[in-house]
Amino acid sequence: MLNGSTQKLTSNSQVAEIKSGKFMKELKKNKVLLIMLMPAVIYFFLFCYIPMGGVILAFKNYNYSAGIFGSPFVGISNFKYFFLSGKAFEVTKNTVLYNVAFIIVNTTLQVGMAILISEVSKKTFKKFAQSAMFLPYFISWVVVSVIAYNLLNAGNGAINSILSSIGISKINFYDKPGAWPFILVFASAWKSIGYGTVIYLAAITGIDTEIYEAAKIDGANIFQRIFKITIPCLKPTVVILTLLAIGGIFRGDFQMFYQLIGNDGVLYHATDVIDTFTFRSLIQSGEVGMSAAAGLYQSVFCFITIMVTNYLVKRYDSEQSLF
Amino acid sequence: MKKTLDEKVFGLICYIVMTIVALLCLVPFLLVVISSLTDEQEIIKRGFSLFPHKLSLAAYKFALKDPLIIIRAYGVTISVTVLGTLVALLAVSMTSYVLQRKDFAWRNKFSFYIYFTTLFNGGLVPYYIFMIRYLHMKNNLLALILPLMLNAFNIILMRSYLSSIPTALIEAARIDGAGDFQIYWKIILPLAKPALATIGLFIALGYWNDWYSCMLFIDNDKLFTLQYYLYRMVNGAEAMRTISTTAGGKIGSQTALPSEALKMALTVIVTGPILLLYPFVQRYFVSGLTVGAVKQ
């Protein structure tokens, strides 16, 4: 590397010459490495960077024959349409509130279960419980939606057959928007509890057992040991994982919302997130411009929240920050 | 050491709570299996239940009368999963190897190029239009493989694993005359086996459970993946009627079709075989997650 003072002494053309010489040398030296990188470089260019450039669609009136770049510009009318429809506020609110609920409920449950598992001494029971909890992580959201249908549908759902057998009238859940925040939070917790528990359990295993023994000798009971040792020791992991989750707060879990709600219009105002809204506008109503505008709006917010949370992570623990 | 009273009380709480949570996770699966074996008339009259009065295999007979559709969906999913996972592992490990080579001057630039894709993306619309209109991915098997192949997280994970391999090993191989690719193929890949296994499992699970790419890009039913096939069957009365006609039933004779039990039977047929694998691969997932958590 040239240092600052020599760079100032040489003229611009010389710098360029040295730089290009260095460039060619690097190129030659790393020929094989660069060839090995090419598949990934091309992949991300095709599937990430070109679509990134495609966000100009949000400012265009797309027509199929003209393509992405040939379609005429229409300024910000797509955004106007999106915001004036009243949908923008509703789907943003739903996305953020659901994610906040998921973060709070899932983190609490996962930390709680990890602590319980770590205190159980019987190995076989431990293994059984952990395997059972991890099972939902293993299946697709399609199967989860079948399970939800089995439990919840109005005519013959399992919950309704229990209700009617004890003399309570049946509830049509797919007709009751108010029930869905609870159902969705439950579904999210159900699917992710095994996964999260494993991560927190790993953090607990890392705690020095001598601390526990010392506390025990000093007369601390098990509840004091959990609240005074385990939970404070887990705090860094919880803070980091929560911050990372907050980074994705504007991104709805499309697979979950789409599979559980489907195209049930009655539930939209309680359950529609940005991702499902964008998808429906594109695939079902063919409103390409507005849908692209909603997508860009979401991407910008995601970018900002990730930058902010990463800054916070960096301040909290620079080792853990993503960049 | 003898257990004190508070430990006994807490131990009891642990067992009770964990048993409840474990049951909450397992019972829904049991419910689906039992429902698939329940007589259709009983489902209509009394609803799905864990304790049915009358069992029946009718739904399975219906579902398997013409097994070709299901076998084909299995074929698509298995080929996409195997092919996709192998190619993905090759690409992930090769990229990660180059990016962790400390003597490669541009590694930070390329790392950022890959990392940036997790910060910003163009959203669904440009991606969808680019895939369909410019890459001609409609009804193309590649549309099921490519979207899930590479992502920055797997590369970061693999790179941090590979950077734990001592540089001296690479130096020694270079002195012995090995080229960059040879070092990767003969030294790095064998050493990376544990990481390849866990990352491979996660990639494979992603492929196996994928229905989204299939919904976006495939409308030829010969190319449907298992999950998307299940989604179509469960959600479309129309699809149900197709199976009843191909299975030899008469159109309109809805009474003959055990549609509710059939939905559950199809779910079991689609999910069952992979759940049998679950006990064997579960511990790899757990160890993989733990490695990731510690490494990151």
Side-chain angles (χ1 to χ4, degrees):
Chain A
M1 271 280 202
L2 292 167
N3 62 42
S5 57
T6 35
Q7 234 166 20
K8 268 177 210 156
L9 289 173
T10 50
S11 73
N12 280 344
S13 66
Q14 270 174 312
V15 171
E17 215 165 81
I18 292 166
K19 269 191 177 164
S20 83
K22 204 168 131 47
F23 179 84
M24 291 312 290
K25 223 175 109 191
E26 279 292 330
L27 202 68
K28 221 170 182 176
K29 191 181 112 197
N30 297 316
K31 202 171 54 194
V32 179
L33 292 183
L34 286 167
I35 292 171
M36 288 171 77
L37 262 185
M38 273 312 116
V41 169
I42 294 167
Y43 181 92
F44 285 106
F45 184 74
L46 278 182
F47 297 105
C48 298
Y49 284 95
I50 290 181
M52 268 184 224
V55 296
I56 51 162
L57 267 179
F59 305 97
K60 286 186 165 202
N61 182 11
Y62 180 72
N63 73 60
Y64 187 83
S65 53
I68 294 181
F69 301 100
S71 297
F73 276 102
V74 289
I76 57 161
S77 72
N78 287 325
F79 289 92
K80 255 189 197 155
Y81 184 46
F82 175 51
F83 285 103
L84 291 180
S85 69
K87 275 285 176 188
F89 176 71
E90 186 182 287
V91 293
T92 310
K93 186 191 77 184
N94 282 343
T95 311
V96 172
L97 287 183
Y98 274 112
N99 278 327
V100 169
F102 294 159
I103 293 171
I104 294 172
V105 172
N106 291 353
T107 309
T108 315
L109 285 178
Q110 290 161 6
V111 169
M113 285 316 290
I115 291 174
L116 293 189
I117 290 181
S118 73
E119 295 292 339
V120 164
S121 45
K122 256 205 191 100
K123 267 228 168 97
T124 43
F125 182 74
K126 218 173 183 166
K127 262 205 178 127
F128 160 75
Q130 225 179 339
S131 304
M133 275 187 262
F134 208 71
L135 192 58
Y137 176 77
F138 208 63
I139 57 166
S140 75
W141 280 108
V142 179
V143 177
V144 180
S145 89
V146 174
I147 292 173
Y149 172 82
N150 186 314
L151 288 168
L152 301 174
N153 88 76
N156 45 32
I159 289 179
N160 276 324
S161 45
I162 294 171
L163 286 182
S164 65
S165 73
I166 54 172
I168 300 172
S169 59
K170 290 185 175 182
I171 304 167
N172 184 1
F173 291 100
Y174 289 92
D175 206 14
K176 290 230 166 6
W180 282 87
F182 299 99
I183 296 169
L184 288 164
V185 167
F186 184 86
S188 170
W190 187 76
K191 193 126 177 7
S192 64
I193 189 159
Y195 183 96
T197 303
V198 168
I199 290 175
Y200 288 114
L201 198 55
I204 294 177
T205 329
I207 302 172
D208 191 351
T209 45
E210 274 178 30
I211 308 175
Y212 288 102
E213 278 153 25
K216 204 173 171 184
I217 291 163
D218 287 347
N221 69 32
I222 188 147
F223 300 100
Q224 285 169 321
R225 295 204 293 271
I226 287 171
F227 284 98
K228 296 271 155 69
I229 301 172
T230 314
I231 291 179
C233 284
L234 279 180
K235 209 180 114 197
T237 316
V238 172
V239 170
I240 297 292
L241 289 180
T242 306
L243 281 175
L244 292 179
I246 292 172
I249 209 161
F250 281 95
R251 200 160 289 295
D253 186 343
F254 175 84
Q255 301 222 355
M256 165 172 162
F257 283 93
Y258 190 76
Q259 281 301 337
L260 291 182
I261 310 298
N263 297 318
D264 189 349
V266 184
L267 303 177
Y268 284 165
H269 82 89
T271 61
D272 214 11
V273 291
I274 306 175
D275 301 77
T276 45
F277 175 74
T278 312
F279 173 80
R280 266 202 333 275
S281 316
L282 174 69
I283 304 291
Q284 284 163 14
S285 5
E287 294 165 291
V288 177
M290 196 262 279
S291 173
L296 179 58
Y297 158 82
Q298 180 183 34
S299 288
V300 169
F301 269 101
C302 279
F303 182 72
I304 295 168
T305 46
I306 292 175
M307 295 311 263
V308 171
T309 51
N310 188 64
Y311 170 76
L312 295 174
V313 171
K314 213 176 209 167
R315 280 195 52 178
Y316 186 79
D317 178 1
S318 59
E319 291 261 297
Q320 300 276 356
S321 73
L322 293 168
F323 49 89
Chain B
M1 211 183 284
K2 228 187 127 213
K3 282 198 173 173
T4 52
L5 180 68
D6 56 297
E7 281 171 345
K8 276 183 195 156
V9 172
F10 187 73
L12 195 67
I13 298 174
C14 280
Y15 280 103
I16 293 170
V17 174
M18 278 168 67
T19 310
I20 293 171
V21 174
L23 285 179
L24 277 178
C25 289
L26 287 178
V27 166
F29 291 93
L30 200 63
L31 185 63
V32 170
V33 174
I34 291 173
S35 303
S36 73
L37 292 165
T38 308
D39 182 65
E40 182 72 12
Q41 285 310 309
E42 160 138 0
I43 296 176
I44 290 165
K45 241 181 270 161
R46 303 163 45 97
F48 292 120
S49 155
L50 275 175
F51 310 102
H53 295 261
K54 202 175 158 202
L55 295 175
S56 149
L57 280 173
Y60 284 94
K61 279 185 194 144
F62 240 99
L64 297 173
K65 227 176 214 167
D66 184 19
L68 192 70
I69 307 171
I70 295 174
I71 292 171
R72 201 159 47 204
Y74 258 106
V76 172
T77 297
I78 291 173
S79 2
V80 165
T81 304
V82 171
L83 205 70
T85 308
L86 287 179
V87 177
L89 279 181
L90 200 67
V92 168
S93 59
M94 206 155 74
T95 313
S96 315
Y97 161 69
V98 178
L99 292 181
Q100 64 81 40
R101 276 279 296 259
K102 289 173 189 70
D103 55 332
F104 180 46
W106 297 331
R107 68 195 181 110
N108 285 334
K109 288 190 183 109
F110 280 108
S111 296
F112 181 77
Y113 171 82
I114 290 169
Y115 188 72
F116 186 74
T117 60
T118 64
L119 302 180
F120 190 81
N121 67 62
L124 173 68
V125 182
Y127 166 72
Y128 180 77
I129 290 174
F130 180 67
M131 287 284 279
I132 298 259
R133 190 176 189 275
Y134 296 92
L135 295 180
H136 306 289
M137 284 294 179
K138 194 92 199 171
N139 287 325
N140 188 335
L141 216 52
L142 284 175
L144 298 176
I145 295 178
L146 289 174
L148 294 176
M149 213 172 83
L150 273 184
N151 66 55
F153 291 112
N154 286 341
I155 293 176
I156 292 169
L157 206 65
M158 183 58 106
R159 193 186 61 178
S160 69
Y161 183 86
L162 292 185
S163 60
S164 67
I165 294 173
T167 348
L169 222 56
I170 297 173
E171 287 303 321
R174 172 137 2 79
I175 290 163
D176 287 347
D180 287 328
F181 185 79
Q182 256 181 320
I183 295 174
Y184 157 73
W185 192 253
K186 294 234 170 91
I187 295 171
I188 302 294
L189 265 193
L191 285 173
K193 263 184 200 153
L196 287 173
T198 40
I199 292 176
L201 269 175
F202 279 99
I203 297 173
L205 186 69
Y207 276 119
W208 188 272
N209 281 341
D210 182 45
W211 53 276
Y212 182 56
S213 296
C214 198
M215 179 173 74
L216 284 181
F217 301 117
I218 308 290
D219 49 28
N220 173 358
D221 59 10
K222 289 194 175 67
L223 294 178
F224 282 174
T225 60
L226 266 183
Q227 304 297 330
Y228 188 61
Y229 165 74
L230 177 66
Y231 168 73
R232 295 272 298 218
M233 294 310 278
V234 173
N235 284 281
E238 188 194 348
M240 275 290 171
R241 238 169 279 133
T242 328
I243 201 175
S244 81
T245 46
T246 53
K250 296 179 202 86
I251 304 171
S253 65
Q254 285 294 310
T255 44
L257 179 68
S259 67
E260 293 299 299
L262 185 55
K263 287 176 186 174
M264 302 301 144
L266 285 169
T267 309
V268 173
I269 292 169
V270 163
T271 321
I274 200 70
L275 283 191
L276 292 180
L277 268 181
Y278 173 70
F280 303 103
V281 294
Q282 189 251 131
R283 62 198 176 96
Y284 291 103
F285 274 104
V286 171
S287 65
L289 274 176
T290 320
V291 169
V294 177
K295 287 269 174 200
Q296 276 176 343

